Amino acid sequence: MNWQAAVESTVTGLGYELVDCERSPKGLLRVYIDRVANDPAGEYIVVEDCERVTRQLQHVLEVEGIAYERLEVSSPGLDRPLKTAAHYARFAGQEVEVTLVAAFKGRKKYKGLLEALGEGWRLVFNDGKVEQALDFSLGEVKEARLVPVVDFKGKRFQSQPANDAAGAQAEADETDGDRKQ
C-alpha cells in the first residue's frame, strides 16, 4: 500500500474527510482532516480529533513500513482549500477566493459567492462598479479557498454605539439588580 492510500483509508475509516496530504523531501508528512458534511459530532475539528488521527496513523504507517520523520495532522483552517467537486458542492453559497490557471480579462484572482452551475461553477462578485459572474470548470482553477469568516456572536460583552448610552445604562442596571438578589 502506498502512503497516500494508507493515509486516506485511515482517515476515512475513522469517520473524517481527508482534505489534503503532502509529503516534504525532509520527511514531513502533513495531513489535513475535516468533519464529514452533516456530521452530528460538531462543525469544527478540535485537538482531540487530530490526536486520534495521529495515533492511528502512527500505527498504520509503522505496520505498512512507510517511513517519515515527522507527522502533522491538523484542520484545513478557516481558509479551507477546495480540491474536489464534492468540496465545491458542500460550500456552494459561501464566499470563496479562486485563482485561475490562465488569466481572464487580465486577472487570475477572483473573490465572490460560489454557485453550482450544471456541470460547472459560477463565482458572483462585485468589481467595484457592478455585480458580475464568472463561469468556470474545475480544470480552469489553480487554487480555491474559502474566505475566512470570523464570528464573535458568542462574545458576551459587545461595544455599545455612542448614541445608545441609555440602553447600555439600562443593561448595566439590570445586571446590578441580578447581583443584589
Side-chain angles (χ1 to χ4, degrees):
M1 180 183 296
N2 71 23
W3 70 272
Q4 291 168 321
V7 169
E8 184 169 9
S9 66
T10 302
V11 170
T12 57
L14 290 171
Y16 298 98
E17 175 190 3
L18 177 63
V19 175
D20 200 8
C21 61
E22 54 192 41
R23 196 168 188 170
S24 76
K26 295 185 178 184
L28 170 64
L29 179 55
R30 187 174 288 137
V31 178
Y32 298 98
I33 62 171
D34 201 359
R35 296 231 178 250
V36 177
N38 302 321
D39 183 351
E43 193 174 339
Y44 303 105
I45 291 294
V46 294
V47 173
E48 291 78 13
D49 297 315
C50 295
E51 289 173 348
R52 180 176 179 222
V53 172
T54 298
R55 281 192 301 277
Q56 190 64 32
L57 275 174
Q58 287 171 332
H59 294 298
V60 169
L61 296 172
E62 183 178 341
V63 167
E64 293 294 328
I66 299 169
Y68 65 95
E69 291 293 319
R70 195 172 84 227
L71 175 64
E72 290 181 7
V73 176
S74 69
S75 77
L78 293 176
D79 62 340
R80 181 193 202 282
L82 305 179
K83 301 276 188 176
T84 66
H87 293 164
Y88 282 78
R90 178 177 174 185
F91 295 103
Q94 295 195 30
E95 190 173 26
V96 299
E97 187 171 81
V98 174
T99 304
L100 300 174
V101 173
F104 177 73
K105 292 191 176 184
R107 301 173 48 177
K108 284 188 174 186
K109 288 192 174 195
Y110 292 86
K111 182 166 62 170
L113 289 180
L114 178 65
E115 296 178 356
L117 183 66
E119 295 294 315
W121 303 94
R122 173 174 284 165
L123 195 66
V124 178
F125 63 96
N126 191 316
D127 69 355
K129 298 175 188 168
V130 66
E131 193 169 270
Q132 296 189 20
L134 171 71
D135 296 351
F136 62 93
S137 68
L138 296 187
E140 297 173 292
V141 176
K142 178 178 180 181
E143 179 182 41
R145 292 184 167 275
L146 290 178
V147 173
V149 175
V150 180
D151 185 7
F152 294 108
K153 286 183 181 177
K155 190 172 181 179
R156 183 172 174 183
F157 298 103
Q158 297 179 356
S159 62
Q160 297 289 329
N163 63 356
D164 195 17
Q169 184 59 47
E171 195 173 301
D173 291 342
E174 234 177 72
T175 303
D176 287 341
D178 291 343
R179 282 190 214 135
K180 291 176 186 173
Q181 291 178 357

